[in-house]
Amino acid sequence: MASVITSSENKPEEENSSTFQNIMRHIMSFKDDPISILLIRHPPVRTSIEASNQRQVPLHSGAKAMLVCQKNTDQFTLIVLPAHLSCDNKKIASILGISQSKLRMATEDEVRKITGCIPGAVPPFGALFPQYVKTLIDEKMSQSTSHPPPLTFHSQVKLFSTNDSEWPNDLSHIILSETIDQNRNDCINFNIGLRTISCSIPFNDFLKVLGEKNYFICDISK
């Protein structure tokens, strides 16, 4: 378990590495067609602006993941959109086949239960949560990409290492890439289950990890 000090509370908030570890196990299973990723460690971030500043990437390349729920049900859906945009609840409700009044944001307790993460750490992989949820990806996400984080990090930012405590013990034999082509501009960036670890990944690789049966690309932003 890792402790995070929130800006609003002068006490640690516990983070669980399980979701991060499960995602990494899944990513590392693509042996015949490896996934390109770069993992970096930084001070805890909760907002998209804080995260983009630590990663040194444009705000629009952040993949913001938010959990919504249909009122009076246990039906949850993960919404993924560029970090500089907002959810359009009317569009989301229409896609889900419900009235807008029946849609609400998940509570913090629900976020922890469904995703295994604390708010601000939720990654855009609904199919890989402790409780499966469908993922709706805004159609603008594929055009909101950028270069990966530069390898000239801020003083408090560094590459994530397989020697770090969050890395799964059963993947100790894995050699994690310490670079990604800095000339590519098709990457999206997000916290990957922990507020202190960010992932940069090409958009098409992101879709491959998520699995084509587990997402729907649509217009859900404003």
Side-chain angles (χ1 to χ4, degrees):
M1 302 284 280
S3 293
V4 171
I5 304 295
T6 65
S7 58
S8 59
E9 299 178 359
N10 189 25
K11 63 180 181 179
E13 187 168 358
E14 292 293 332
E15 292 202 270
N16 191 309
S17 301
S18 296
T19 296
F20 165 72
Q21 292 175 348
N22 288 337
I23 293 172
M24 294 314 303
R25 289 186 184 101
H26 182 63
I27 289 175
M28 294 303 155
S29 71
F30 289 81
K31 296 179 181 178
D32 295 333
D33 189 14
I35 303 297
S36 296
I37 61 167
L38 182 71
L39 298 180
I40 62 172
R41 177 182 291 282
H42 47 68
V45 294
R46 177 163 181 167
T47 70
S48 298
I49 293 176
E50 290 173 347
S52 66
N53 288 339
Q54 292 294 342
R55 300 169 189 147
Q56 299 181 78
V57 297
L59 176 63
H60 70 255
S61 71
K64 181 165 57 176
M66 293 176 289
L67 195 66
V68 299
C69 180
Q70 299 181 36
K71 290 181 180 178
N72 303 316
T73 76
D74 59 356
Q75 299 298 309
F76 292 88
T77 305
L78 189 70
I79 305 300
V80 178
L81 69 162
H84 68 299
L85 300 178
S86 301
C87 290
D88 188 318
N89 288 343
K90 183 177 181 180
K91 293 177 181 178
I92 294 170
S94 177
I95 290 169
L96 295 177
I98 60 174
S99 65
Q100 185 176 345
S101 63
K102 296 293 186 181
L103 186 71
R104 66 172 176 84
M105 296 298 297
T107 66
E108 292 198 2
D109 285 344
E110 288 170 336
V111 169
R112 291 182 178 90
K113 178 182 177 181
I114 302 297
T115 73
C117 309
I118 63 175
V122 177
F125 296 114
L128 302 179
F129 293 159
Q131 182 173 323
Y132 175 95
V133 295
K134 195 79 171 183
T135 301
L136 299 185
I137 303 171
D138 185 66
E139 61 185 12
K140 301 177 188 66
M141 196 73 250
S142 64
Q143 303 301 316
S144 297
T145 58
S146 76
H147 58 80
L151 298 181
T152 52
F153 298 127
H154 293 320
S155 60
Q156 293 182 294
V157 180
K158 63 181 181 179
L159 286 171
F160 180 84
S161 168
T162 55
N163 293 320
D164 290 350
S165 61
E166 298 91 347
W167 188 253
N169 291 331
D170 54 302
L171 296 182
S172 60
H173 61 288
I174 296 291
I175 298 175
L176 194 62
S177 173
E178 295 186 352
T179 186
I180 191 171
D181 185 359
Q182 292 291 310
N183 293 317
R184 68 187 311 158
N185 61 0
D186 60 345
C187 292
I188 61 173
N189 304 278
F190 49 84
N191 283 359
I192 188 165
L194 296 161
R195 289 186 188 170
T196 54
I197 302 175
S198 282
C199 173
S200 186
I201 184 172
F203 181 74
N204 286 337
D205 275 0
F206 158 66
L207 295 182
K208 185 164 62 174
V209 171
L210 187 52
E212 62 180 355
K213 295 181 180 180
N214 299 314
Y215 66 84
F216 180 52
I217 297 177
C218 46
D219 177 17
I220 52 174
S221 66
K222 60 182 179 180

